[in-house]
Amino acid sequence: DEVVESTFDQPAVSTLTPESTDEDIMQHMLWVMDNQTTSTELTRHFPNLDRARAYNIQSLRLEHQEQTEARVGWKIGWSNQPDPSVAIDPAFGHIMVSDVFKPGLEVSLDHLINGKTGLEAEIVFWLEKDLPGPTVTREDVIDATAEVAGAIELVEPRVAAFGSDSLYWPNRHNHGIADNVWHVGVMFGSTRVSLDEIDFTTETVAVAVNDEPMLEGSMSWTMGRDPIEGVVWLANEMLTYGFQLS
């Protein structure tokens, strides 16, 4: 593998081979993140990356980052389910201190992937009790939640499809897990409320750019019911990969 200079503690890997280890892949993802670009190396050499390996790569990346900064929370991706009868495939990633941007301030292009990003409306849960899986219920989440608030998440894939035949690839979500579920950054809303002050069945989200409305969505689309179901899923899913929601 080619090794190039990096601002991280260890030289990062700019290319992969089919024999690359999870550590090599993690170092490659750090190189991609450091250079804020995209790469087809993972989809080219590991088109059938399985979920357990994808989460192991993400875990190695988290361990590396925690050497220099704290993790502040977790994120859920691919949880949007407007039609509960249509199956979804959620995944989780992590949020670090350096990923949190202050609302109202410009975000430097240095944080973006090739100078661009997507935006997603999210709900943030602050917990005052641990939620160890695998049998966490809605009632457990409601009891453990101190406050909730709106948030804007910046998301953009760093893993790109290999080949020009399609924008998609096998195990797209597994490649995304290795890419920390496309997380770029997040802005937490300043207004926090308790769960009994919000009705997710009627709560909607509107996106505007320079005061021009662009689109709307409903919080009831989360996991086909509401964001509470997302936290239930997260608490129980994390245990499979050695984590606990705290």
Side-chain angles (χ1 to χ4, degrees):
D1 294 341
E2 178 186 355
V3 177
V4 298
E5 291 184 357
S6 169
T7 58
F8 292 97
D9 295 337
Q10 300 175 351
V13 179
S14 64
T15 60
L16 299 172
T17 71
E19 290 73 40
S20 294
T21 65
D22 288 3
E23 178 72 22
D24 294 331
I25 297 172
M26 183 274 288
Q27 290 289 343
H28 177 69
M29 295 310 301
L30 289 177
W31 177 83
V32 172
M33 184 173 67
D34 193 23
N35 287 275
Q36 294 300 66
T37 186
T38 59
S39 169
T40 61
E41 292 293 295
L42 198 57
T43 50
R44 175 183 182 180
H45 298 296
F46 301 95
N48 298 308
L49 184 72
D50 65 52
R51 183 140 304 189
R53 188 172 189 186
Y55 272 120
N56 186 57
I57 294 165
Q58 187 193 129
S59 178
L60 289 173
R61 167 177 161 165
L62 175 58
E63 290 177 11
H64 179 95
Q65 291 180 283
E66 285 182 322
Q67 295 176 13
T68 56
E69 63 174 319
R71 177 188 55 76
V72 298
W74 302 92
K75 63 154 291 181
I76 305 173
W78 301 302
S79 62
N80 191 17
Q81 190 181 24
D83 183 352
S85 67
V86 178
I88 57 174
D89 183 25
F92 68 83
H94 52 269
I95 302 172
M96 309 302 291
V97 168
S98 60
D99 298 328
V100 180
F101 304 137
K102 292 184 178 180
L105 299 182
E106 292 185 358
V107 177
S108 170
L109 291 177
D110 293 339
H111 290 293
L112 307 186
I113 312 303
N114 293 329
K116 64 179 183 178
T117 185
L119 298 175
E120 294 185 348
E122 305 288 359
I123 287 287
V124 186
F125 284 70
W126 280 268
L127 304 178
E128 57 186 359
K129 297 180 182 179
D130 294 347
L131 290 173
T135 58
V136 170
T137 65
R138 283 182 63 87
E139 290 69 28
D140 294 331
V141 171
I142 293 170
D143 181 60
T145 300
E147 296 174 306
V148 296
I152 298 173
E153 185 185 14
L154 285 67
V155 291
E156 189 73 21
R158 285 160 286 243
V159 174
F162 177 71
S164 58
D165 57 331
S166 174
L167 293 176
Y168 297 92
W169 51 79
N171 299 311
R172 178 180 177 87
H173 286 192
N174 292 353
H175 289 113
I177 290 168
D179 188 18
N180 197 29
V181 196
W182 297 2
H183 184 71
V184 174
V186 65
M187 298 176 185
F188 297 137
S190 58
T191 302
R192 302 188 188 186
V193 299
S194 61
L195 276 180
D196 59 10
E197 295 179 74
I198 190 168
D199 181 0
F200 287 127
T201 65
T202 61
E203 195 74 21
T204 59
V205 174
V207 177
V209 177
N210 295 330
D211 296 326
E212 179 182 352
M214 303 296 290
L215 58 110
E216 291 187 358
S218 172
M219 282 296 166
S220 65
W221 293 352
T222 307
M223 304 295 288
R225 183 172 181 180
D226 62 29
I228 297 172
E229 286 297 308
V231 183
V232 173
W233 172 85
L234 178 63
N236 293 323
E237 181 75 4
M238 292 177 72
L239 184 66
T240 303
Y241 304 100
F243 298 107
Q244 174 180 303
L245 198 56
S246 303

